[in-house]
C-alpha cells in the first residue's frame, strides 16, 4: 500500500471513531455502508424498529460531508414526491422542472417497504442508471450517489414486499441484530440522559471518496479467485450439479449476474481496508452472505421447513472449494 492509500485508510478508521460518538456497537453496519459508498453499491438495511438504522445513516452523512436527504416512505407517497415534477410558472407562462429530494449524494429511503410498488419502482432508474426522467427530460444525478434504504421485517403490519427487480439493485442487504449487553448498557446510559448530545465532525470529502474508489479499483483479484466467484454463482443456480441435493429442494432461483459484480467489488474493498492490494478467499467469504442472501429466491417448501438463504450459502461454501476450481 502506498503512503496516500495509508492516509485514506487512516481517515476511514477516523470515520469509525467519529461514528462511535453517536452510534454504539454498530461497526458491522457502518462497515457495510462504507463498502457500498466506496464501490457504488446501494445498501438495504433490515431490522426491527429501534436498532439505530436511521440514526446510523444520518450520522454517516454528517461524517462524510456530503449532501444528504432523508425521505420518509409512507403509503401515500407519490413518485413525484421522490424524483420531482413539472410545475407551471405563471410568471413565465411555461412549465418548469421542480427537482425532488432524489437529487442529492446520499439518499436515506427510510422504511422503504411502507410505500406501494409504484413509488418503489420510481427508484429503479435512479439506482441503476444514476439518472431520472421528469417529463421529457432526463437528468443525471449528483456524484457520488448512494441509496441507503431501511426496512422493517416484511411480516410487520403496513409493509409491502419490495419487487425482486428492485431488491436485486441493492448491492447488499444487511440484517441488523440486537446489540450485545455491553452496548445495550452504554446505549441506555447515554439516551437516559435527556441532555446528552454529541456532535460529529466531517472526515471524508467527495474527493476522498473518489480517491478511495480509485484505490479499490487497483486492488488485484487473481484469475483463480475470479473463477471461484463464478463457481459460487453457478452453485446457487444449479445446486444439484455441485452435489447440493438437499439445498436444491429449496432453491427456486439462484443469484443474478449483479451478484458476481458486487462480490468482486466488495471483496476488493475489504482487502483495501485491511491494508492489502490483493484479494484473499476470506474477503469473498466475509461479504457473500450480504450479497447472495437477498438474491437467492427460496420456494414455499423452504419457508415451511424454516430453511433460510444463509443455510443455502453455508452449503455452497462447503461444497465449492478453491482448490477444485
Amino acid at each position: 500500500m502506498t503512503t496516500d492509500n495509508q492516509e485514506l485508510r487512516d481517515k476511514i478508521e477516523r470515520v469509525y471513531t467519529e461514528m462511535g460518538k453517536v452510534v454504539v456497537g454498530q461497526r458491522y453496519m457502518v462497515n457495510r455502508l462504507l463498502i457500498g459508498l466506496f464501490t457504488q453499491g446501494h445498501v438495504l438495511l433490515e431490522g426491527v424498529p429501534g436498532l439505530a438504522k436511521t440514526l446510523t445513516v444520518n450520522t454517516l452523512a454528517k461524517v462524510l460531508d456530503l449532501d444528504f436527504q432523508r425521505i420518509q416512505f409512507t403509503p401515500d407517497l407519490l413518485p413525484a414526491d421522490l424524483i420531482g415534477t413539472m410545475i407551471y410558472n405563471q410568471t413565465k407562462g411555461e412549465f418548469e422542472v421542480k427537482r425532488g429530494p432524489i437529487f442529492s449524494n446520499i439518499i436515506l429511503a427510510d422504511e422503504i417497504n411502507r410505500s406501494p410498488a409504484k413509488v418503489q419502482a420510481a427508484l429503479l432508474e435512479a439506482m441503476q442508471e444514476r439518472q431520472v426522467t421528469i417529463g421529457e427530460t432526463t437528468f443525471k444525478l449528483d456524484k457520488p450517489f448512494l441509496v441507503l434504504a431501511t426496512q422493517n421485517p416484511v411480516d410487520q403490519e403496513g409493509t409491502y414486499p419490495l419487487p425482486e427487480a428492485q431488491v436485486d439493485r441493492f448491492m447488499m442487504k444487511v440484517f441488523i441484530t440486537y446489540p450485545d449487553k455491553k452496548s445495550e448498557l452504554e446505549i441506555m446510559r447515554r439516551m437516559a440522559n435527556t441532555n446528552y448530545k454529541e456532535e460529529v465532525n466531517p472526515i471524508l470529502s467527495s474527493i476522498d471518496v473518489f480517491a478511495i474508489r480509485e484505490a479499490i479499483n487497483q486492488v488485484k483479484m487473481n484469475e483463480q479467485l475470479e473463477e471461484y466467484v463464478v463457481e459460487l454463482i453457478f452453485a446457487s443456480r444449479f445446486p444439484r450439479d455441485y452435489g447440493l441435493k438437499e439445498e436444491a429442494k429449496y432453491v427456486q432461483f439462484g443469484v443474478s449476474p449483479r451478484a458476481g459484480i458486487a462480490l468482486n467489488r466488495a471483496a476488493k474493498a475489504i482487502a483495501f481496508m485491511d491494508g492489502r492490494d490483493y484479494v484473499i478467499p476470506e474477503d469473498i467469504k466475509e461479504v457473500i452472505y450480504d450479497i447472495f442472501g437477498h438474491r437467492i429466491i427460496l420456494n414455499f417448501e423452504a419457508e415451511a421447513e424454516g430453511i433460510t438463504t444463509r443455510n443455502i450459502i453455508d452449503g455452497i461454501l462447503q461444497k465449492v472449494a478453491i482448490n477444485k476450481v
Side-chain angles (χ1 to χ4, degrees):
M1 283 285 170
T2 65
T3 303
D4 289 343
N5 285 349
Q6 185 58 49
E7 290 177 357
L8 292 173
R9 289 183 62 247
D10 290 342
K11 284 190 175 184
I12 294 174
E13 281 302 316
R14 288 171 57 198
V15 168
Y16 289 116
T17 302
E18 204 69 19
M19 291 286 296
K21 294 179 180 179
V22 177
V23 181
V24 179
Q26 292 290 3
R27 185 182 175 95
Y28 177 83
M29 182 181 5
V30 175
N31 175 266
R32 293 314 189 246
L33 294 177
L34 289 176
I35 289 175
L37 177 68
F38 298 151
T39 59
Q40 303 185 69
H42 311 294
V43 181
L44 178 61
L45 305 174
E46 180 173 312
V48 297
L51 296 182
K53 301 186 296 296
T54 303
L55 176 64
T56 300
V57 176
N58 269 311
T59 307
L60 183 63
K62 295 176 183 177
V63 173
L64 293 176
D65 195 24
L66 298 173
D67 292 333
F68 170 73
Q69 287 285 348
R70 172 184 175 181
I71 306 170
Q72 185 65 49
F73 279 60
T74 57
D76 60 348
L77 193 71
L78 299 174
D81 299 327
L82 184 68
I83 64 174
T85 187
M86 302 289 292
I87 61 173
Y88 184 72
N89 188 321
Q90 291 184 335
T91 304
K92 297 181 180 179
E94 61 184 26
F95 284 94
E96 59 184 29
V97 174
K98 180 182 179 182
R99 297 190 178 195
I102 198 75
F103 290 90
S104 191
N105 296 126
I106 297 180
I107 303 298
L108 170 56
D110 212 4
E111 297 187 300
I112 188 174
N113 61 333
R114 291 201 180 278
S115 287
K118 184 179 291 186
V119 177
Q120 295 169 2
L123 274 176
L124 289 179
E125 182 183 14
M127 292 174 65
Q128 184 64 26
E129 306 296 334
R130 264 86 174 169
Q131 65 183 30
V132 296
T133 302
I134 304 174
E136 297 180 353
T137 307
T138 298
F139 299 89
K140 293 291 184 181
L141 295 172
D142 298 333
K143 294 182 180 181
F145 174 74
L146 182 68
V147 174
L148 304 176
T150 70
Q151 73 172 17
N152 296 321
V154 295
D155 57 347
Q156 291 207 344
E157 185 177 354
T159 60
Y160 303 81
L162 295 180
E164 291 176 6
Q166 185 174 355
V167 173
D168 190 43
R169 281 169 169 78
F170 284 100
M171 177 186 189
M172 292 183 286
K173 181 178 181 180
V174 183
F175 290 93
I176 312 303
T177 58
Y178 289 111
D180 57 31
K181 290 182 179 180
K182 182 179 179 181
S183 299
E184 191 82 43
L185 181 61
E186 179 62 24
I187 292 168
M188 182 179 65
R189 285 172 174 169
R190 287 189 187 184
M191 298 309 165
N193 183 356
T194 56
N195 295 323
Y196 178 82
K197 186 177 181 181
E198 187 70 64
E199 296 294 333
V200 295
N201 300 307
I203 303 297
L204 290 179
S205 66
S206 58
I207 295 175
D208 293 324
V209 172
F210 291 130
I212 292 171
R213 286 183 176 180
E214 183 57 34
I216 290 173
N217 285 335
Q218 302 305 315
V219 174
K220 300 293 190 294
M221 178 183 285
N222 64 37
E223 185 176 348
Q224 187 181 33
L225 288 181
E226 288 177 339
E227 292 175 353
Y228 176 57
V229 170
V230 172
E231 293 295 325
L232 293 171
I233 292 170
F234 271 71
S236 77
R237 297 173 185 170
F238 311 104
R240 290 189 185 278
D241 295 348
Y242 291 81
L244 296 163
K245 296 180 180 179
E246 190 67 23
E247 288 80 357
K249 297 190 302 182
Y250 307 114
V251 176
Q252 187 173 4
F253 298 107
V255 301
S256 71
R258 286 193 185 99
I261 299 170
L263 197 52
N264 184 298
R265 290 177 177 175
K268 289 180 178 179
I270 291 287
F272 172 79
M273 289 191 281
D274 281 350
R276 286 177 279 103
D277 59 0
Y278 58 91
V279 175
I280 60 177
E282 285 70 21
D283 299 330
I284 296 171
K285 295 175 182 179
E286 182 173 338
V287 291
I288 189 172
Y289 292 95
D290 301 308
I291 292 171
F292 275 28
H294 61 296
R295 290 184 167 94
I296 296 176
I297 308 301
L298 304 181
N299 54 30
F300 290 112
E301 186 177 353
E303 183 177 354
E305 297 190 21
I307 301 297
T308 66
T309 55
R310 189 173 190 87
N311 300 135
I312 305 301
I313 297 170
D314 285 340
I316 291 173
L317 289 176
Q318 289 175 8
K319 286 290 185 180
V320 181
I322 299 214
N323 55 14
K324 293 183 179 179
V325 174

